Amino acid sequence: MGIEIDRERFDDADYTAFTQRLEHCLEALGQLLEQPGFGVGPRTIGAELELFLIDDQGHPLGRNQAILEDAGDPRLTLELDRFNLEVNPSPLPLAGQPLTGLGRELEGALESVRATAAAHGGRVAMVGILPTLRDQDLHRGAITDAPRYRALDWSLSRVKAEPFEIEISGRDPEPLRVVRDNIVMEGANTSFQVHLRVDPADYVPSFNAAQLATAPVLAAAGNSPIFLGRVLWEETRIALFEQAADDRDAPGRERLVSRVAFGTDWLRTSILDLFEESVRHHEPLLPICGDQDPLLALGAAGVPRLDELRLHQGTVWRWNRAIYDSGFGGHLRIEMRPLPAGPTVTDMLANAAFLLGLTLALAPGADDWTGKLLFARAHANFYDAARLGLEAELEWPGADGTPERVGAAELVPRLLPEARRGLVEAGVDAGEADRLLGVIGDRAASGQTGAVWQRRTLAALEGKVGREQAVGELLERYLELQATGDPVHTWPVQG
């Protein structure tokens, strides 16, 4: 987030100073965006992969700090819960074979984590939600022992002033309901986040394109159907994370925007609108000011770090999030957050190829389709895809731009040539695009996403051994198949 978090409690003076600095950051960013040439440069991609650490029984292993220290790998960092780590590969140019390079770096980092975890009696699982998580695993003591996470827990609880309630209805007849007085549930889900650098002049259509592209990609990528022994959404992470970090009280849910949300409308003017929305709608959680005044830094003909704005933006978790970074001369990115971790590196790279390619293909026509497709329909698409996966029906711009309802299982194959065009026109090697998008095509044809495989396997097992044991056996089979590297649509379902 740019600023070292070394405090856990804050007073009124902290919030006043931080709010003033946020206003200076917005003013500096507005001026910076008007400077000719700012942020212009080659497209690049980046990623973040969150992981579960587990013991030999498949239960969470709360040793992330010890494993991080012993691994000594600069690509690794802590995450919110003690059983989570995050991999941060280096950014790569979009042109050429970026996803092949990203895959190599992910595999290298995963090998490092696995070897170090094994020395601590642990293993690594790449999955959106660990199927074997139990209610007793999720308590305040499971939050990583670091000032940043203690401060975040204290601040969110301060703003909300009532317990965090998780209530999700899914495929099981009884809905899941869990109540916590802390933010531990945020760490119960892990994602594979993809970053795309975008020139300022292209940001509005590109961001809107990412918003539209997300639903069909998510429908084909679900990998989080089981939480606390219940079969819920195909991508339960979406509902879980939104509720686990929702700082609104009961009356506020009717009139306030959640900290974790898909969005409120198509982006109309500038990336600045997204940052202003974050500042206007959400109280600061970590009001710590950096040592640089953004307006003074800008006046010195520099590129300001905008520490406070970046820190605040890091506590507003839009599913597609605006990123400002002062590195590489200053640039803008779209952080695409909806994709789950797993099932394999190949599956994650295929999901990324589909999302990046479709975003790039849709962007040039965004002015047309944003005028015909209500944002409310894109919003509904996102949640329908998360709930139902390939069984969802999505509203999509037709050939003449008029919206039509299409089943996701039909729409995904139809969009793959568009995604290929978007990648190839951006300079991605055609062979790489064909290989990874072919995985999505085969997955859609088989109907077997990671979520579907988990549900089918659970159904095949639980009639023989009961759900609790079946979930444990499911995870062991999942990890065995994950280790092969074969994409999930090829995985057998065995009772």
Side-chain angles (χ1 to χ4, degrees), residues 377-392:
R377 295 313 313 156
H379 186 276
N381 283 350
F382 176 71
Y383 293 98
D384 288 345
R387 283 191 306 109
L388 300 171
L390 289 171
E391 297 174 15

Side-chain angles (χ1 to χ4, degrees), residues 21-60:
R21 188 61 70 83
L22 279 177
E23 294 299 327
H24 292 173
C25 286
L26 289 174
E27 185 179 348
L29 179 58
Q31 294 180 30
L32 197 58
L33 291 170
E34 294 177 358
Q35 292 184 3
F38 166 73
V40 176
R43 288 193 182 108
T44 58
I45 63 166
E48 302 168 58
L49 172 59
E50 298 165 344
L51 305 170
F52 282 102
L53 302 170
I54 58 174
D55 62 20
D56 59 357
Q57 299 298 309
H59 296 139

Side-chain angles (χ1 to χ4, degrees), residues 211 214 242 260-264 318-320 375 378-379 382-383:
Q211 292 280 77
T214 293
E242 289 199 358
V260 187
F262 182 70
T264 57
R318 294 289 184 264
W319 290 112
N320 288 303
F375 181 81
H379 186 276
F382 176 71
Y383 293 98

Side-chain angles (χ1 to χ4, degrees), residues 1-3 17-25 279 284 286-294 305-315:
M1 298 182 190
I3 296 176
F18 188 82
T19 299
Q20 183 179 43
R21 188 61 70 83
L22 279 177
E23 294 299 327
H24 292 173
C25 286
V279 171
L286 302 173
I288 299 177
C289 292
D291 59 4
Q292 183 190 79
D293 184 300
R305 296 194 307 265
L306 305 186
D307 290 328
E308 297 79 13
L309 186 60
R310 292 174 60 215
L311 179 58
H312 181 68
Q313 189 75 348
T315 65

Side-chain angles (χ1 to χ4, degrees), residues 57-355:
Q57 299 298 309
H59 296 139
L61 178 68
R63 303 293 306 277
N64 63 352
Q65 288 171 302
I67 291 170
L68 176 68
E69 183 177 350
D70 289 354
D73 189 328
R75 296 170 295 189
L76 305 180
T77 188
L78 296 174
E79 262 296 331
L80 190 141
D81 285 348
R82 293 173 184 258
F83 47 77
N84 299 137
L85 277 177
E86 181 178 278
V87 178
N88 291 277
S90 304
L92 294 164
L94 180 61
Q97 296 185 326
L99 294 163
T100 297
L102 178 60
R104 279 195 299 266
E105 190 161 359
L106 285 173
E107 293 284 12
L110 286 167
E111 184 177 347
S112 173
V113 179
R114 290 181 180 124
T116 310
H120 288 263
R123 298 180 289 170
V124 174
M126 295 185 297
V127 61
I129 294 178
L130 187 68
T132 50
L133 274 175
R134 303 161 299 180
D135 188 73
Q136 61 263 39
D137 296 321
L138 298 166
H139 52 86
R140 178 167 273 117
I143 297 173
T144 297
D145 183 22
R148 170 176 295 184
Y149 300 115
R150 290 194 295 270
L152 192 59
D153 182 38
W154 180 83
S155 295
L156 265 173
S157 299
R158 166 190 166 274
V159 172
K160 189 177 180 67
E162 64 182 36
F164 296 88
E165 296 186 20
I166 311 295
E167 187 165 357
I168 308 172
S169 297
R171 294 177 185 263
D172 277 351
E174 292 295 321
L176 173 77
R177 186 174 186 274
V178 186
V179 179
R180 289 290 184 277
D181 65 354
N182 57 73
I183 61 169
V184 68
M185 290 287 187
E186 285 189 45
N189 62 91
T190 57
S191 63
F192 178 60
Q193 300 162 21
V194 180
H195 290 242
L196 175 65
R197 176 175 173 167
V198 179
D199 284 355
D202 299 328
Y203 201 90
V204 169
S206 297
F207 188 85
N208 287 333
Q211 292 280 77
L212 182 61
T214 293
V217 179
L218 187 63
N223 195 36
S224 313
I226 302 167
F227 180 49
L228 298 183
R230 302 289 182 86
V231 181
L232 301 169
W233 294 13
E234 297 294 87
E235 198 43 51
T236 305
R237 283 176 46 255
I238 303 303
L240 174 59
F241 190 46
E242 289 199 358
Q243 296 180 43
D246 190 350
D247 62 351
R248 301 170 300 174
D249 58 16
R253 292 188 197 108
E254 299 298 322
R255 56 186 175 79
L256 301 175
V257 180
S258 173
R259 291 193 97 92
V260 187
F262 182 70
T264 57
D265 198 356
W266 298 120
L267 183 58
R268 301 295 180 184
T269 307
S270 161
I271 186 177
L272 188 62
D273 297 344
L274 297 174
F275 287 103
E276 288 183 337
E277 183 178 79
S278 293
V279 171
R280 307 299 176 223
H281 284 296
H282 304 291
E283 290 188 44
L285 295 182
L286 302 173
I288 299 177
C289 292
D291 59 4
Q292 183 190 79
D293 184 300
L295 291 172
L296 290 178
L298 183 65
V303 176
R305 296 194 307 265
L306 305 186
D307 290 328
E308 297 79 13
L309 186 60
R310 292 174 60 215
L311 179 58
H312 181 68
Q313 189 75 348
T315 65
V316 180
W317 297 278
R318 294 289 184 264
W319 290 112
N320 288 303
R321 184 161 65 178
I323 300 291
Y324 164 86
D325 194 323
S326 60
F328 304 100
H331 67 278
L332 310 175
R333 300 196 303 272
I334 302 171
E335 180 187 29
M336 305 170 180
R337 302 172 50 81
L339 298 177
T344 66
V345 169
T346 296
D347 286 303
M348 293 188 295
L349 296 177
N351 295 339
F354 190 18
L355 182 53

